[in-house]
Amino acid sequence: NAGVTQTPKFQVLKTGQSMTLQCAQDMNHEYMSWYRQDPGMGLRLIHYSVGAGITDQGEVPNGYNVSRSTTEDFPLRLLSAAPSQTSVYFCASSYSAGGSPLHFGNGTRLTVT
Amino acid sequence: EDKVVQSPLSLVVHEGDTVTLNCSYEVTNFRSLLWYKQEKKAPTFLFMLTSSGIEKKSGRLSSILDKKELFSILNITATQTGDSAVYLCAVDLWNQGGKLIFGQGTELSVKP
């Protein structure tokens, strides 16, 4: 059972480039989310989805886009990368939106130069 | 503004010591409090606490919640080097789309 799988593990971008971070889960979880982790700031919610076809903004959504066409996949798109987006990104899923623990992927370390 | 504060931010102990990690919170619409362990990669789930005074226990780890005083503690007894990690506390809120409010984490280092 793979759980939550994120790709790539590492990525370096130049300012202005775009890219997509991939996330897939095989636990049939309805709820999926993206967090970024920065030193001294903890984990902060970027976007989330309570089911296929439904997405919503979290705490720090600017500069990011998401879609949820299937239950399994929840990609995160960086539209025009900025140095402020240098961070570690975690995808997470859970059985429901709240009331059940999140299962995290192994993260993507992104550097924007 | 909802916030979760963990203390200490870092801690160095020797194998066999007992440690207590603290998590206090100020939030509206509290639903539950969760503890995670993060070793280099993905945070892994330890405990979810919803009721005051009921201790959750898993091996050498235990946790308890005080909803009146708005805090939780995570205890680790007889620490081992494998306990070295960042321990994250997070609060789950009602009607917030599953959003977790995380604390900054406590970095625990266990020396042999």
Side-chain angles (χ1 to χ4, degrees), chain B residues 28-106:
Chain B
T28 54
N29 294 321
F30 175 89
R31 182 173 187 163
S32 64
L33 185 144
L34 300 96
W35 284 97
Y36 288 86
K37 177 182 182 182
Q38 186 175 22
E39 300 172 90
K40 303 293 185 187
K41 292 186 178 179
T44 54
F45 171 71
L46 294 174
F47 299 113
M48 184 167 71
L49 303 149
T50 56
S51 302
S52 282
I54 299 175
E55 185 183 52
K56 292 283 183 96
K57 196 171 173 64
S58 176
R60 297 176 293 103
L61 278 66
S62 63
S63 183
I64 198 160
L65 174 67
D66 187 327
K67 291 171 73 173
K68 181 179 177 184
E69 300 297 330
L70 308 184
F71 77 91
S72 173
I73 59 172
L74 176 68
N75 279 321
I76 309 174
T77 60
T79 52
Q80 302 171 357
T81 55
D83 295 325
S84 295
V86 175
Y87 290 84
L88 300 169
C89 171
V91 171
D92 180 17
L93 308 175
W94 287 101
N95 304 318
Q96 291 292 315
K99 171 185 174 182
L100 294 182
I101 310 293
F102 279 87
Q104 292 176 300
T106 294

Side-chain angles (χ1 to χ4, degrees), chain A residues 51-100:
Chain A
I54 305 168
T55 64
D56 208 342
Q57 297 181 351
E59 186 181 353
V60 287
N62 292 338
Y64 308 95
N65 224 347
V66 291
S67 60
R68 184 96 180 270
S69 56
T70 66
T71 300
E72 294 78 20
D73 300 299
F74 191 44
L76 177 72
R77 296 183 193 83
L78 279 70
L79 309 173
S80 177
S84 61
Q85 293 178 305
T86 293
S87 187
V88 180
Y89 291 85
F90 288 99
C91 179
S93 72
S94 65
Y95 177 74
S96 62
S100 59

